[in-house]
Amino acid sequence: MHSPDAMPEKSYDAQQIELKWSDRWKNSALFQAEENSSKPKFYVLEMLPYPSGQLHIGHLRNYAIGDALARYKRMRGFNVLHPMGWDAFGLPAENAAIANKRDPYEWTRFNIENMKRQHRRMGFSYDWSREVTTCDPEYYRWNQWFFLKMLERGLAYRKRSLVNWCDECGTVLANEQVVDGCCWRHESTPVEQRAIEQWFLRITHYADELLNSMAELEAGWPERVLLMQRNWIGRSEGAEIDFHLDPAGTPIRVFTTRVDTIYGATCVILAPEHPLVAELTGAAAKAEVKRMIDARAAKGPGDIEKEGIFTGHYAVNPYSNGKIPIWIGNFVLMGYGTGAIMAVPAHDERDFEFCKQYGIPIRPVIRPVDGTLADAATLKESFPDDGILENSGPYSGLASEEARRVMSAKAEKENFGKPAVTFRIKDWGISRQRYWGTPIPVIYCEKCGIVPVPEKDLPVVLPLSIAITGKGRSPLENVPEFMNVKCPKCSGPARRESDTMDTFVDSSWYFYRYCDPHNSTAPFDSKKIAYWFPIDQYIGGIEHAILHLIYSRFWTKVMRDLGLISNGEPATRMFNQGMVIKDGAKMSKSRGNVVSLDEMVEKFGADTGRVFELFAAPPEKEMDWTDSGANGAYGFLSRVYRFVTRNIGNAQPAPGEADKKILRKLHQTLRKVTEDFESRWHFNTSIAALMELMNNLQSMEKQISAPVMAEVLEKMALMLEPFAPYLAEELWEEQGRQGPVFNHPWPAYDAELAREEEAEVVIQVNGKLRGRIYVAFGTPRETLEKLALGDAKVQTLLDGKQVVKVIVVPDKLVNIVVK
RNA sequence: GCGGAUGUGGCGGAAUUGGCAGACGCGCUAGAUUCAGGUUCUAGUUCUCGCAAGGGAGUGGAGGUUCAAGUCCUCUCAUCCGCACCA
């Protein structure tokens, strides 16, 4: 017979435990997804990281959430695909090459190795056999292949246009990469508009579908992301209408959503960059226009004073035949609609401001449905709502909505316009004048023009070890062995495209490659995609709401139309984790508040890091990293470890009341943790529940019988598995059980055992808590009322008062209302 | 300006369905134990009045609905995020 302290308590040595298990997991295929499994599949994915070299604890959160889910789902019997890879192309590698003379390839490889080591040290359950690295020619050849397919279908095209240029990056940016007029990477570098020839992908072809199929995502994607995408796509229905010049000349086409107000148009306004401006202005005005464009560029976005120049020319309103002046206005955008508008000051706020400023007449033509037409002379503000048309020729008396339909139909019929839909989203410019990216597989031949690289010649391999200065045009231009080729058509001398692709191309489809990462004849086998897709849970930062998340939706639709896949959306559920905050700010090098992962792991251990990141706040909210908080998580794991090790195989008292209590707490905890996984992912409350269980265990340690203790210790390890896998595994082994823990089913809770024995019923007098009684569940209302009224303390409070009403909520509360 | 989110102790947060506000953790206070060490254990910790029993107030603010409001409604303030001349 053992004494109660037979098993000595061991102290929790996180390093020793974690290194031991990490070593055992290293070369095994434990976390590999199964092919041809009969289990239901679950694809959980965290956004692939850029291999910057060092993970810090700000990166950890996303992986801790994903890994908890992956481990839980495995235990629930799913065939889980949980892969990891590297978004390995991009500017930092090139900048490192310039600054430290490190070869981008070597630099990237080195970083990947280090970050992979960090991932392994954290014990994340990735299937590393599916690792994808985007700078690997076997990966990016498929970027090129997709590009060729798009080129064939007219979804990729080359165009000279005004593009966003970041001087700091030395390259062009897509519209999505411009934030508040500045580069998304260099927040204080305003982008310049430059006219450059570049390659575009026709994302606008899918604008309507990208918008409409959001309906499928509403259940599983954050409303915030969908809203941002909806705004970004910016669909707007209206009409295009031609205003002819007077005297005759090239007509000015305007886009308007309010053709019903056209009888109130009192001028036409062109964007300063509008092509007709040159035709309509003299030398003096041209200089003014240039000044206008420069002033706006200098100011950046945001508030600019409205400014206008009268061209001296007039246009004719095709409906009223009235002659109205043509102006140039700095607030009219060349990049939206047709770059020209009709100004209806009476019914548009901006037009009102402009016309007031320049004394242009105001002509009300819409009255409120239940009001009268405004008087132009006394008008203080525009009336932008729909209403009833007046002073609008044959259309007077129509409601706005009907008028729009009738009037745009007339324009189409008589060939001076048409109903039109305009989008804010523009085609995706993918050319980058940089080195470290996927070469665009195109050849320029003097004779044949633009010639796509034949599929059989893919991949066009990016030459390694070249000189990068960061000056001038794309570094590839200085590599003759790359640039000079024979034309695939005529075999004459030709040059390769020297631009590379935006790295968002790489990340637009990488998650498909995980399903078939070593396929050398196709990007993937469609059958494998059919099994794994769509992604069941995608996890990543909100910063990609209109970047990666819109590009990858587009790419999915393109691949579907190429017949490669059958799903129309990449992921059914999306989750945006909250940021990690340190000392009141987001972690960043410039603020000097970065805590490196290695430092954290050395100090606390991987399990502690995970548990604290999940415990400190719900996963979608910001969380504050504090060392004292992390220390608390360490203390919890340490208490669990010591408790379990000292209670294994101990002789314990005979079964008694404590057994019942602790089993109840155990099953309540199981229920709580299970529910958190199944519904809202509030792992902070799951971990709090585990802590409560631990507190309860400690307080009744000496009263729990051996079989009950064994059950509690077993289930404790199972429940810890998603949050602190190293500790779970260690405790499992200490108990003499066969691992690994995640191959065991998630423990079911027993609702009967979890149920409290008695209901605690609160007694209130006038809504104030005055006492509590304990009764059997289901005690009838009348009994409860009687018990409450009979309560000694209640009696004294009722003295001299009149009971007006008694509210009884069975098993919960009795409220006595007195006067 | 428009749209959205959030506001709870000294701090992070809990309260999932209108029914005990403050679970859990940090920090702090007191005590015990042990000290070469991230101690461990016990008790306490919303504010306030009171020696205490006990009372009062309390979820950004002001109203309201209700027997009952952190939770629902109206207004308002603050912070954060997104959009911002998109015709």
Side-chain angles (χ1 to χ4, degrees):
Chain A
M1 185 63 103
H2 293 99
S3 73
D5 294 315
M7 283 301 280
E9 168 180 308
K10 299 193 204 175
S11 71
Y12 175 50
D13 182 345
Q15 297 304 325
Q16 187 249 316
I17 293 170
E18 294 181 358
L19 289 172
K20 170 177 128 192
W21 286 101
S22 164
D23 199 50
R24 287 198 200 170
W25 290 344
K26 206 171 187 173
N27 297 315
S28 72
L30 282 175
F31 307 118
Q32 282 184 16
E34 298 167 31
E35 296 292 343
N36 308 314
S37 169
S38 57
K39 295 177 188 172
K41 66 97 184 179
F42 194 85
Y43 188 174
V44 53
L45 180 70
E46 298 111 53
M47 284 182 186
L48 92 172
Y50 177 78
S52 57
Q54 284 287 334
L55 286 176
H56 61 67
I57 56 172
H59 300 118
L60 183 58
R61 200 149 178 224
N62 172 16
Y63 307 127
I65 296 166
D67 200 49
L69 189 66
R71 287 173 181 269
Y72 172 77
K73 285 288 178 182
R74 278 190 199 103
M75 293 172 81
R76 293 303 301 238
F78 286 85
N79 181 22
V80 170
L81 174 55
H82 188 216
M84 184 44 62
W86 311 101
D87 190 13
F89 271 138
L91 264 182
E94 218 166 317
N95 292 337
I98 297 161
N100 317 317
K101 302 244 184 288
R102 302 273 308 267
D103 183 73
Y105 178 82
E106 294 304 329
W107 185 83
T108 303
R109 275 284 151 211
F110 179 83
N111 287 346
I112 288 174
E113 280 318 306
N114 189 48
M115 281 172 64
K116 196 167 165 182
R117 172 189 64 77
Q118 293 183 307
H119 270 119
R120 285 190 189 278
R121 179 62 186 81
M122 284 306 299
F124 296 132
S125 62
Y126 298 124
D127 179 350
W128 286 109
S129 72
R130 295 168 183 266
E131 182 178 4
V132 162
T133 305
T134 61
C135 67
D136 181 345
E138 277 308 299
Y139 181 80
Y140 68 68
R141 71 178 293 177
W142 302 110
N143 286 347
Q144 296 170 340
W145 185 82
F146 282 121
F147 179 88
L148 294 177
K149 294 287 169 200
M150 291 196 208
L151 198 58
E152 268 170 35
R153 301 190 159 224
L155 289 171
Y157 63 95
R158 187 168 167 85
K159 184 178 83 173
R160 183 182 187 82
S161 71
L162 281 178
V163 292
N164 313 297
W165 178 271
C166 171
D167 228 22
E168 209 47 48
C169 294
T171 186
V172 151
L173 302 174
N175 293 326
E176 289 79 4
Q177 291 154 20
V178 178
V179 179
D180 289 338
C182 295
C183 173
W184 67 307
R185 290 265 189 237
H186 305 100
E187 288 167 31
S188 54
T189 308
V191 301
E192 285 170 47
Q193 297 297 305
R194 286 196 184 176
I196 292 181
E197 286 250 323
Q198 73 157 3
W199 288 97
F200 290 89
L201 299 185
R202 214 179 286 281
I203 194 169
T204 54
H205 178 75
Y206 289 93
D208 256 322
E209 203 202 330
L210 284 167
L211 196 64
N212 294 334
S213 62
M214 265 184 226
E216 293 170 41
L217 304 179
E218 257 150 30
W221 282 47
E223 185 50 43
R224 211 156 53 119
V225 172
L226 297 181
L227 186 73
M228 281 167 77
Q229 293 206 356
R230 216 168 268 131
N231 289 339
W232 184 256
I233 294 167
R235 185 179 198 276
S236 172
E237 255 177 65
E240 286 178 7
I241 303 292
D242 289 335
F243 282 69
H244 283 271
L245 290 188
D246 178 60
T250 321
I252 299 173
R253 174 156 282 211
V254 305
F255 173 74
T256 178
T257 55
R258 293 298 304 275
V259 65
D260 56 309
T261 65
I262 199 165
Y263 281 80
T266 52
C267 65
V268 166
I269 312 176
L270 305 176
E273 301 88 350
H274 195 283
L276 261 179
V277 167
E279 210 173 293
L280 298 179
T281 51
K286 279 200 178 77
E288 265 295 279
V289 169
K290 174 146 192 347
R291 202 193 44 73
M292 202 183 249
I293 294 172
D294 291 346
R296 182 155 85 187
K299 264 241 165 113
D303 284 334
I304 49 160
E305 295 265 306
K306 284 194 176 50
E307 240 187 293
I309 303 165
F310 178 45
T311 60
H313 294 263
Y314 291 85
V316 178
N317 183 326
Y319 291 86
S320 69
N321 292 317
K323 229 172 86 172
I324 55 175
I326 302 170
W327 283 70
I328 296 160
N330 64 343
F331 69 102
V332 179
L333 306 174
M334 191 58 222
Y336 184 78
T338 59
I341 63 163
M342 62 177 201
V344 184
H347 304 292
D348 182 280
E349 201 188 320
R350 298 150 301 175
D351 297 349
F352 183 83
E353 196 192 320
F354 184 82
C355 292
K356 267 271 181 200
Q357 192 176 328
Y358 290 101
I360 298 163
I362 295 170
R363 193 178 138 82
V365 291
I366 307 284
R367 68 168 170 82
V369 177
D370 52 359
T372 53
L373 192 68
D375 175 15
T378 60
L379 203 57
K380 289 274 187 303
E381 56 177 7
S382 60
F383 172 70
D385 302 344
D386 277 8
I388 309 296
L389 276 68
E390 289 204 16
N391 298 330
S392 296
Y395 307 102
S396 297
L398 290 183
S400 290
E401 203 183 331
E402 196 191 349
R404 284 197 285 269
R405 205 166 46 241
V406 175
M407 293 170 83
S408 55
K410 177 187 162 84
E412 186 163 37
K413 196 169 150 215
E414 296 181 11
N415 218 16
F416 65 84
K418 60 174 188 192
V421 174
T422 298
F423 291 94
R424 196 186 113 113
I425 193 172
K426 294 281 176 301
D427 281 338
W428 174 16
I430 58 155
S431 300
R432 295 292 179 272
Q433 292 71 42
R434 299 301 309 235
Y435 160 69
W436 193 234
T438 306
I440 295 174
V442 159
I443 290 166
Y444 300 97
C445 169
E446 282 163 38
K447 256 192 275 172
C448 314
I450 296 174
V451 182
V453 172
E455 250 181 62
K456 65 172 174 51
D457 294 344
L458 296 184
V460 176
V461 176
L462 191 67
L464 297 179
S465 308
I466 71 157
I468 300 168
T469 60
K471 300 200 176 75
R473 293 186 52 87
S474 165
L476 287 174
E477 299 235 309
N478 306 318
V479 185
E481 6 5 324
F482 176 80
M483 291 301 292
N484 300 327
V485 285
K486 275 190 201 161
C487 170
K489 265 193 192 161
C490 70
S491 299
R495 283 171 68 77
R496 284 195 192 279
E497 168 69 64
S498 61
D499 284 350
T500 53
M501 294 185 198
D502 182 2
T503 57
F504 278 105
V505 168
D506 310 340
S507 55
S508 288
W509 69 280
Y510 74 100
F511 32 65
Y512 290 94
R513 185 73 178 173
Y514 283 141
C515 299
D516 195 8
H518 308 296
N519 195 324
S520 57
T521 56
F524 44 73
D525 175 353
S526 299
K527 285 200 291 291
K528 294 187 174 174
I529 303 301
Y531 173 71
W532 286 112
F533 266 76
I535 297 163
D536 296 281
Q537 184 66 61
Y538 199 16
I539 304 168
I542 184 74
E543 66 272 18
H544 286 295
I546 54 161
L547 289 156
H548 166 60
L549 289 178
I550 213 162
Y551 294 140
S552 51
R553 291 184 61 221
F554 159 67
W555 210 277
T556 288
K557 291 176 194 305
V558 171
M559 293 197 308
R560 180 204 53 201
D561 290 351
L562 289 170
L564 296 171
I565 59 174
S566 54
N567 54 300
E569 288 290 342
T572 43
R573 294 177 59 85
M574 176 71 219
F575 185 87
N576 302 118
Q577 80 279 2
M579 273 193 310
V580 177
I581 301 291
K582 176 93 201 303
D583 306 327
K586 182 183 173 174
M587 239 174 253
S588 70
K589 269 190 204 148
S590 58
R591 286 194 187 84
N593 61 351
V594 175
V595 180
S596 88
L597 192 75
D598 292 342
E599 206 182 299
M600 187 284 289
V601 165
E602 199 185 326
K603 202 164 172 187
F604 298 108
D607 280 345
T608 295
R610 289 183 181 221
V611 166
F612 179 54
E613 293 229 353
L614 295 175
F615 173 68
E620 72 278 8
K621 281 187 63 175
E622 289 183 347
M623 64 97 41
D624 278 344
W625 179 278
T626 60
D627 272 15
S628 54
N631 213 23
Y634 181 89
F636 165 61
L637 295 181
S638 170
R639 278 193 298 142
V640 171
Y641 180 82
R642 283 179 283 125
F643 183 89
V644 173
T645 52
R646 73 172 174 259
N647 280 289
I648 292 166
N650 259 353
Q652 300 288 350
E657 199 54 27
D659 281 355
K660 220 193 242 175
K661 277 193 192 155
I662 203 66
L663 277 177
R664 185 182 309 136
K665 191 69 191 172
L666 174 70
H667 283 269
Q668 287 173 346
T669 309
L670 280 167
R671 179 174 61 197
K672 172 75 190 146
V673 178
T674 306
E675 281 173 358
D676 277 338
F677 266 110
E678 293 297 330
S679 62
R680 51 175 209 167
W681 287 18
H682 278 200
F683 304 128
N684 53 328
T685 60
S686 312
I687 292 167
L690 288 168
M691 287 172 169
E692 276 188 64
L693 174 61
M694 192 59 233
N695 293 345
N696 274 253
L697 274 170
Q698 258 175 325
S699 68
M700 336 179 191
E701 184 167 359
K702 296 285 192 286
Q703 297 131 54
I704 301 167
S705 73
V708 170
M709 184 62 90
E711 182 184 349
V712 174
L713 299 191
E714 180 197 5
K715 289 183 175 157
M716 189 79 159
L718 291 168
M719 279 192 286
L720 278 172
E721 161 66 20
F723 309 118
Y726 285 125
L727 178 61
E729 210 64 59
E730 179 74 8
L731 296 178
W732 197 251
E733 191 178 68
E734 288 274 359
Q735 290 173 53
R737 301 181 190 280
Q738 292 300 306
V741 181
F742 51 82
N743 278 353
H744 290 77
W746 183 256
Y749 66 86
D750 183 327
E752 268 308 299
L753 288 175
R755 219 182 58 181
E756 290 291 344
E757 213 157 60
E758 289 185 308
E760 188 186 48
V761 174
V762 167
I763 304 171
Q764 296 180 335
V765 176
N766 282 348
K768 285 198 174 123
L769 177 68
R770 296 300 179 192
R772 53 192 76 207
I773 51 176
Y774 297 88
V775 298
F777 278 96
T779 302
R781 290 165 174 278
E782 302 73 38
T783 317
L784 288 175
E785 183 171 339
K786 220 178 283 171
L787 282 168
L789 288 168
D791 185 87
K793 193 170 162 201
V794 170
Q795 289 276 309
T796 63
L797 284 158
L798 297 187
D799 198 32
K801 302 270 171 61
Q802 190 196 341
V803 175
V804 181
K805 201 173 180 184
V806 180
I807 282 108
V808 181
V809 183
D811 300 342
K812 275 215 170 129
L813 123 171
V814 179
N815 189 9
I816 303 160
V817 186
V818 298
K819 231 180 4 194

